[in-house]
Structure formats: structure tokens, C-alpha cells
Amino acid sequence: MNNTKSTLASGLSRQEIIDAMDNWRSAIKKDVDFIVDCFDKKTTFEYTKEDISDEVNDIHMYPGLIKSEIVFFAIPDIYDSEKYSDTFEKYVQVCPLGELLAGNEIDSKEALERMQAWEDNYKSWLPKQAATTYGIFQVFTVAKIDFLDDADKVTMALEAADGNPTGFVADLIVTAGTQAAPLYEDFVHAIPPFGITALVTDYYLLTL
């Protein structure tokens, strides 16, 4: 895997993180073809599990754009609040998207099919999804229990969804274990849409 090593201390300022997220939101509305190009051969990032508080339920993963590079900003849900408005960057892990080289477990066949669905369809799916009511994802919420190892791989995927006009919804597959015996975890929700279990107020960084 190339260029997927995450950065524990983000090395980015609060404003740089906000700017990168703004770049993403702007691009998915105004230049989705640019987003498609940014995803070319890049599907996976690495998330390194730190000492996560027992109070944490989920990891929020926000996409951002730094120049032409897609990154994900991972932050435990308890720090994604107005209480940490001035210091949230201290809790952000920067996860650059790169190439994939060769409790809520998903079977390997389904996981591989979803990852392959992204590879096969993202170029057509992203523009179609951008034109829908909810548009392209602005954050993923990933259950803390999905992260089993010290450093897990997280890969873009598409899950078939008959109820979505594009035929798919965005997904992330968390891969743990060994290369010989991988485990695939998938307790993930792409947002928007918001709802009873995903309130707008739970995602403070989207308000910045």
C-alpha cells in the first residue's frame, strides 16, 4: 500500500482541516469530475487505533481535499462537538487515501463484492449521486468495535441499495487480521442523510 499511512498528530492546523473539508464540499457540488479523478486508483487508507476512551462509540471520518489529494479526518465522536471547537485538531488523525495492494463482521465474499463495486462503478456513481437529494457523503460514522487491530485498513466500497436511485450507497470496509486470514467489519453509515440515529448536532465539524 502506498501513501496510506495515517498521521497520529495531524500536523494540520484547525483552519487547514476546515479548509480541506470546505474544499471537499465545494468540489462535490461544483466539480464532481475532479472528485472522480482524485479517486483514480485510490481506495484505501489506514487508521491507527489509539487509546480510545470507553466513552467513545463511533469514529467520525470526514473527507477532505488538500490540493488534489483526498484525505480522511478521523475523530472520536466525543470530540466532534462544540465543546472542543477550539482544540478539535488535537484529536484528529489524518488518513491519506492511497492504493490497495494486494462485532459486526461481514463475510469475505460480500466485503470483496462491495469493494469491487466501488472499483467498477465509482466513475459513474459519483456524478449520479451528486445529483440526488442527499448528494455525495460528507462524513462516515464507523463503530469503534470495527477496529480490531492497532492499524486497520479502511477501503472505499459501494453497497447495493434498491431504494437509492443510483443503485448503491457509499460504504467503508474495515479490514483487520492477517493477510492470510483477514476479517472484514462493516458497521458504517454514510452521512447525509441524517436521521434519528444521526442528528446534525452530532457532527459539529460539518457546521464549520
Side-chain angles (χ1 to χ4, degrees), residues 21 25 62 82 200-201 203-208:
M21 292 173 57
R25 289 193 287 262
Y62 292 90
E82 189 171 5
V200 176
T201 53
Y203 301 89
Y204 176 68
L205 268 60
L206 287 182
T207 70
L208 300 177

Side-chain angles (χ1 to χ4, degrees), residues 47 51-62 74-92 141-142 144 201-205:
Y47 174 74
D51 293 330
I52 299 177
S53 167
D54 291 340
E55 298 177 13
V56 173
N57 292 310
D58 300 311
I59 308 299
H60 295 170
M61 295 187 167
Y62 292 90
I75 183 171
D77 54 4
I78 61 173
Y79 303 119
D80 192 1
S81 70
E82 189 171 5
K83 178 180 178 181
Y84 294 93
S85 174
D86 295 331
T87 58
F88 72 79
E89 71 276 8
K90 296 180 180 179
Y91 307 100
V92 167
T141 180
V142 185
K144 178 177 69 173
T201 53
D202 292 334
Y203 301 89
Y204 176 68
L205 268 60

